[in-house]
Amino acid sequence: MPGTPPTRFVYLGPEGTFAEQALRTVPAAERGGRTPARSVGEALDAVRAGEADAALVPMENSIGGAVGVTLDELAEGEPLVITREVILPVEFVLAARSGIALADVRTVAAHPQASTQCRGWLRDHLPDATVVDVLSNGAAAAGAANGEYDAAICAPIGATRHRLALLADKIADHPDAVTRFALVSRPGPPPPPTGDDVTSLAVYIAHDRVGALLSVLTELATRGVNLTRIESRPTGEALGRYVFFLDCTGHVADVRLGEALQGLRRVCADVRFLGSYPRHRWNPAAGDRPVPAPAGLSDSDYADAAAWLSRLRAGELN
């Protein structure tokens, strides 16, 4: 994808979901074509097959945790890389056809995760309404629009898409909830470092080696690489076999992270590089800022140490 801006985008559908709302924050996607996919696997396979330039899929939610199917799809099959992350506030609304008031609502369509995140609001404001599970936030909005249900819990974009009136907004029990999405493409040179980047990896440890996971963490810690997320998923090979997904601060072009990757390559059964990309700073006012390198572990410190060693090898002792 580098060199040629993407124009064909696919995302986890259907239309009117948080995934579409997140994708439309990407300038190239707002100008290009956007196609919904029925599943994460279908979206990523469209990129692998060359039918799309990039796919936007959910990675994790601050309430529900990691999206396992996305991690599994990235760890298996033809390699793909993350080129961008999008962090989107999860702001659920209650929407209905024009003319329906809150007191009229007897049935509410909602994805199970949406109704779970709005359980307190529903208990306080619609205690007698029946919540009906549907496959997506977009399907909930569509069902309310066609009269199948009185109202829907959905994303703001779903209410707009289906011309629904808002009965209530920001109804989630956790107002600060966010979902992290990844924009994924076929392998190529990563975006250039910005000084505030994330590198994602899938690491397979040697299961017959004592302290294998500790060795992985040590390779990062000794170089001052900040580990921001670690998640394990079963490999499917046998009970007790796991792949570990790591998010680290830094870029593959950084000296200290490059050395850490070399160390992981030495001590791990396998390492799959999932991309280096700019970190989405979604709330700088709350202290969401880059973590500086510890003293002695910046790229300039590494460069100075390398130059010193070169002088020693050349016989220069000053």
PDB file of all heavy atoms in Angstrom, residues 124-147:
ATOM      1  N   ASP A 124     -33.308   1.828  34.253  1.00  0.00           N
ATOM      2  CA  ASP A 124     -33.841   3.057  34.847  1.00  0.00           C
ATOM      3  C   ASP A 124     -34.912   3.723  33.996  1.00  0.00           C
ATOM      4  O   ASP A 124     -35.825   4.364  34.538  1.00  0.00           O
ATOM      5  CB  ASP A 124     -32.703   4.053  35.094  1.00  0.00           C
ATOM      6  CG  ASP A 124     -31.716   3.560  36.138  1.00  0.00           C
ATOM      7  OD1 ASP A 124     -32.086   2.674  36.934  1.00  0.00           O
ATOM      8  OD2 ASP A 124     -30.562   4.042  36.138  1.00  0.00           O
ATOM      9  N   HIS A 125     -34.826   3.586  32.662  1.00  0.00           N
ATOM     10  CA  HIS A 125     -35.712   4.355  31.784  1.00  0.00           C
ATOM     11  C   HIS A 125     -36.729   3.510  31.023  1.00  0.00           C
ATOM     12  O   HIS A 125     -37.782   4.016  30.630  1.00  0.00           O
ATOM     13  CB  HIS A 125     -34.882   5.169  30.778  1.00  0.00           C
ATOM     14  CG  HIS A 125     -34.020   6.214  31.426  1.00  0.00           C
ATOM     15  ND1 HIS A 125     -32.760   5.939  31.905  1.00  0.00           N
ATOM     16  CD2 HIS A 125     -34.253   7.527  31.673  1.00  0.00           C
ATOM     17  CE1 HIS A 125     -32.232   7.034  32.414  1.00  0.00           C
ATOM     18  NE2 HIS A 125     -33.108   8.005  32.296  1.00  0.00           N
ATOM     19  N   LEU A 126     -36.409   2.230  30.786  1.00  0.00           N
ATOM     20  CA  LEU A 126     -37.342   1.354  30.058  1.00  0.00           C
ATOM     21  C   LEU A 126     -37.431   0.004  30.773  1.00  0.00           C
ATOM     22  O   LEU A 126     -37.151  -1.047  30.177  1.00  0.00           O
ATOM     23  CB  LEU A 126     -36.880   1.164  28.607  1.00  0.00           C
ATOM     24  CG  LEU A 126     -36.972   2.378  27.677  1.00  0.00           C
ATOM     25  CD1 LEU A 126     -36.323   2.066  26.325  1.00  0.00           C
ATOM     26  CD2 LEU A 126     -38.435   2.785  27.474  1.00  0.00           C
ATOM     27  N   PRO A 127     -37.841  -0.005  32.027  1.00  0.00           N
ATOM     28  CA  PRO A 127     -37.825  -1.264  32.787  1.00  0.00           C
ATOM     29  C   PRO A 127     -38.784  -2.326  32.257  1.00  0.00           C
ATOM     30  O   PRO A 127     -38.564  -3.520  32.478  1.00  0.00           O
ATOM     31  CB  PRO A 127     -38.221  -0.822  34.203  1.00  0.00           C
ATOM     32  CG  PRO A 127     -38.995   0.456  33.995  1.00  0.00           C
ATOM     33  CD  PRO A 127     -38.351   1.126  32.828  1.00  0.00           C
ATOM     34  N   ASP A 128     -39.844  -1.922  31.545  1.00  0.00           N
ATOM     35  CA  ASP A 128     -40.832  -2.886  31.057  1.00  0.00           C
ATOM     36  C   ASP A 128     -40.641  -3.264  29.586  1.00  0.00           C
ATOM     37  O   ASP A 128     -41.392  -4.089  29.060  1.00  0.00           O
ATOM     38  CB  ASP A 128     -42.242  -2.315  31.250  1.00  0.00           C
ATOM     39  CG  ASP A 128     -42.567  -2.069  32.719  1.00  0.00           C
ATOM     40  OD1 ASP A 128     -42.141  -2.894  33.555  1.00  0.00           O
ATOM     41  OD2 ASP A 128     -43.219  -1.056  33.023  1.00  0.00           O
ATOM     42  N   ALA A 129     -39.658  -2.655  28.929  1.00  0.00           N
ATOM     43  CA  ALA A 129     -39.440  -2.942  27.505  1.00  0.00           C
ATOM     44  C   ALA A 129     -38.726  -4.279  27.337  1.00  0.00           C
ATOM     45  O   ALA A 129     -37.914  -4.684  28.176  1.00  0.00           O
ATOM     46  CB  ALA A 129     -38.637  -1.824  26.863  1.00  0.00           C
ATOM     47  N   THR A 130     -39.031  -4.943  26.231  1.00  0.00           N
ATOM     48  CA  THR A 130     -38.355  -6.197  25.890  1.00  0.00           C
ATOM     49  C   THR A 130     -37.184  -5.903  24.965  1.00  0.00           C
ATOM     50  O   THR A 130     -37.350  -5.264  23.921  1.00  0.00           O
ATOM     51  CB  THR A 130     -39.324  -7.161  25.181  1.00  0.00           C
ATOM     52  OG1 THR A 130     -40.417  -7.453  26.058  1.00  0.00           O
ATOM     53  CG2 THR A 130     -38.621  -8.453  24.790  1.00  0.00           C
ATOM     54  N   VAL A 131     -36.007  -6.357  25.354  1.00  0.00           N
ATOM     55  CA  VAL A 131     -34.815  -6.169  24.522  1.00  0.00           C
ATOM     56  C   VAL A 131     -34.650  -7.394  23.634  1.00  0.00           C
ATOM     57  O   VAL A 131     -34.594  -8.537  24.130  1.00  0.00           O
ATOM     58  CB  VAL A 131     -33.561  -5.950  25.382  1.00  0.00           C
ATOM     59  CG1 VAL A 131     -32.327  -5.806  24.491  1.00  0.00           C
ATOM     60  CG2 VAL A 131     -33.739  -4.707  26.258  1.00  0.00           C
ATOM     61  N   VAL A 132     -34.577  -7.175  22.327  1.00  0.00           N
ATOM     62  CA  VAL A 132     -34.463  -8.259  21.350  1.00  0.00           C
ATOM     63  C   VAL A 132     -33.049  -8.259  20.764  1.00  0.00           C
ATOM     64  O   VAL A 132     -32.588  -7.247  20.226  1.00  0.00           O
ATOM     65  CB  VAL A 132     -35.500  -8.097  20.229  1.00  0.00           C
ATOM     66  CG1 VAL A 132     -35.400  -9.265  19.246  1.00  0.00           C
ATOM     67  CG2 VAL A 132     -36.904  -7.981  20.803  1.00  0.00           C
ATOM     68  N   ASP A 133     -32.359  -9.383  20.869  1.00  0.00           N
ATOM     69  CA  ASP A 133     -31.002  -9.493  20.334  1.00  0.00           C
ATOM     70  C   ASP A 133     -31.017  -9.510  18.809  1.00  0.00           C
ATOM     71  O   ASP A 133     -31.819 -10.233  18.188  1.00  0.00           O
ATOM     72  CB  ASP A 133     -30.331 -10.777  20.826  1.00  0.00           C
ATOM     73  CG  ASP A 133     -29.992 -10.729  22.312  1.00  0.00           C
ATOM     74  OD1 ASP A 133     -30.049  -9.635  22.891  1.00  0.00           O
ATOM     75  OD2 ASP A 133     -29.683 -11.801  22.866  1.00  0.00           O
ATOM     76  N   VAL A 134     -30.116  -8.721  18.203  1.00  0.00           N
ATOM     77  CA  VAL A 134     -29.922  -8.731  16.750  1.00  0.00           C
ATOM     78  C   VAL A 134     -28.428  -8.853  16.474  1.00  0.00           C
ATOM     79  O   VAL A 134     -27.608  -8.783  17.391  1.00  0.00           O
ATOM     80  CB  VAL A 134     -30.508  -7.459  16.088  1.00  0.00           C
ATOM     81  CG1 VAL A 134     -32.014  -7.419  16.234  1.00  0.00           C
ATOM     82  CG2 VAL A 134     -29.882  -6.201  16.681  1.00  0.00           C
ATOM     83  N   LEU A 135     -28.079  -9.019  15.202  1.00  0.00           N
ATOM     84  CA  LEU A 135     -26.702  -9.369  14.859  1.00  0.00           C
ATOM     85  C   LEU A 135     -25.734  -8.199  14.899  1.00  0.00           C
ATOM     86  O   LEU A 135     -24.518  -8.408  14.998  1.00  0.00           O
ATOM     87  CB  LEU A 135     -26.661 -10.013  13.462  1.00  0.00           C
ATOM     88  CG  LEU A 135     -27.348 -11.371  13.346  1.00  0.00           C
ATOM     89  CD1 LEU A 135     -27.322 -11.856  11.911  1.00  0.00           C
ATOM     90  CD2 LEU A 135     -26.672 -12.387  14.276  1.00  0.00           C
ATOM     91  N   SER A 136     -26.224  -6.973  14.809  1.00  0.00           N
ATOM     92  CA  SER A 136     -25.314  -5.829  14.783  1.00  0.00           C
ATOM     93  C   SER A 136     -26.070  -4.564  15.153  1.00  0.00           C
ATOM     94  O   SER A 136     -27.312  -4.542  15.159  1.00  0.00           O
ATOM     95  CB  SER A 136     -24.691  -5.663  13.392  1.00  0.00           C
ATOM     96  OG  SER A 136     -25.671  -5.240  12.459  1.00  0.00           O
ATOM     97  N   ASN A 137     -25.307  -3.495  15.436  1.00  0.00           N
ATOM     98  CA  ASN A 137     -25.931  -2.198  15.695  1.00  0.00           C
ATOM     99  C   ASN A 137     -26.655  -1.686  14.455  1.00  0.00           C
ATOM    100  O   ASN A 137     -27.711  -1.063  14.549  1.00  0.00           O
ATOM    101  CB  ASN A 137     -24.861  -1.192  16.125  1.00  0.00           C
ATOM    102  CG  ASN A 137     -24.182  -1.595  17.417  1.00  0.00           C
ATOM    103  OD1 ASN A 137     -24.837  -1.938  18.389  1.00  0.00           O
ATOM    104  ND2 ASN A 137     -22.863  -1.576  17.423  1.00  0.00           N
ATOM    105  N   GLY A 138     -26.083  -1.973  13.282  1.00  0.00           N
ATOM    106  CA  GLY A 138     -26.737  -1.559  12.043  1.00  0.00           C
ATOM    107  C   GLY A 138     -28.056  -2.280  11.830  1.00  0.00           C
ATOM    108  O   GLY A 138     -29.041  -1.686  11.387  1.00  0.00           O
ATOM    109  N   ALA A 139     -28.088  -3.581  12.156  1.00  0.00           N
ATOM    110  CA  ALA A 139     -29.329  -4.349  12.023  1.00  0.00           C
ATOM    111  C   ALA A 139     -30.387  -3.836  12.994  1.00  0.00           C
ATOM    112  O   ALA A 139     -31.584  -3.834  12.682  1.00  0.00           O
ATOM    113  CB  ALA A 139     -29.052  -5.828  12.262  1.00  0.00           C
ATOM    114  N   ALA A 140     -29.961  -3.392  14.178  1.00  0.00           N
ATOM    115  CA  ALA A 140     -30.914  -2.834  15.139  1.00  0.00           C
ATOM    116  C   ALA A 140     -31.575  -1.582  14.575  1.00  0.00           C
ATOM    117  O   ALA A 140     -32.797  -1.423  14.635  1.00  0.00           O
ATOM    118  CB  ALA A 140     -30.195  -2.511  16.454  1.00  0.00           C
ATOM    119  N   ALA A 141     -30.756  -0.687  14.013  1.00  0.00           N
ATOM    120  CA  ALA A 141     -31.298   0.540  13.431  1.00  0.00           C
ATOM    121  C   ALA A 141     -32.232   0.233  12.266  1.00  0.00           C
ATOM    122  O   ALA A 141     -33.302   0.845  12.126  1.00  0.00           O
ATOM    123  CB  ALA A 141     -30.155   1.450  12.983  1.00  0.00           C
ATOM    124  N   ALA A 142     -31.840  -0.730  11.427  1.00  0.00           N
ATOM    125  CA  ALA A 142     -32.685  -1.096  10.287  1.00  0.00           C
ATOM    126  C   ALA A 142     -34.014  -1.675  10.757  1.00  0.00           C
ATOM    127  O   ALA A 142     -35.074  -1.381  10.187  1.00  0.00           O
ATOM    128  CB  ALA A 142     -31.945  -2.092   9.395  1.00  0.00           C
ATOM    129  N   GLY A 143     -33.985  -2.489  11.810  1.00  0.00           N
ATOM    130  CA  GLY A 143     -35.214  -3.077  12.327  1.00  0.00           C
ATOM    131  C   GLY A 143     -36.168  -2.043  12.892  1.00  0.00           C
ATOM    132  O   GLY A 143     -37.394  -2.159  12.733  1.00  0.00           O
ATOM    133  N   ALA A 144     -35.617  -1.017  13.558  1.00  0.00           N
ATOM    134  CA  ALA A 144     -36.473   0.055  14.057  1.00  0.00           C
ATOM    135  C   ALA A 144     -37.033   0.875  12.912  1.00  0.00           C
ATOM    136  O   ALA A 144     -38.193   1.311  12.945  1.00  0.00           O
ATOM    137  CB  ALA A 144     -35.679   0.943  15.013  1.00  0.00           C
ATOM    138  N   ALA A 145     -36.230   1.073  11.868  1.00  0.00           N
ATOM    139  CA  ALA A 145     -36.682   1.885  10.735  1.00  0.00           C
ATOM    140  C   ALA A 145     -37.814   1.223   9.968  1.00  0.00           C
ATOM    141  O   ALA A 145     -38.736   1.903   9.483  1.00  0.00           O
ATOM    142  CB  ALA A 145     -35.503   2.160   9.796  1.00  0.00           C
ATOM    143  N   ASN A 146     -37.782  -0.103   9.863  1.00  0.00           N
ATOM    144  CA  ASN A 146     -38.839  -0.777   9.096  1.00  0.00           C
ATOM    145  C   ASN A 146     -40.039  -1.179   9.964  1.00  0.00           C
ATOM    146  O   ASN A 146     -40.947  -1.866   9.487  1.00  0.00           O
ATOM    147  CB  ASN A 146     -38.276  -1.989   8.338  1.00  0.00           C
ATOM    148  CG  ASN A 146     -37.755  -3.079   9.259  1.00  0.00           C
ATOM    149  OD1 ASN A 146     -38.224  -3.256  10.385  1.00  0.00           O
ATOM    150  ND2 ASN A 146     -36.771  -3.849   8.780  1.00  0.00           N
ATOM    151  N   GLY A 147     -40.037  -0.778  11.228  1.00  0.00           N
ATOM    152  CA  GLY A 147     -41.181  -1.022  12.094  1.00  0.00           C
ATOM    153  C   GLY A 147     -41.200  -2.353  12.791  1.00  0.00           C
ATOM    154  O   GLY A 147     -42.158  -2.689  13.498  1.00  0.00           O
TER     155      GLY A 147
END
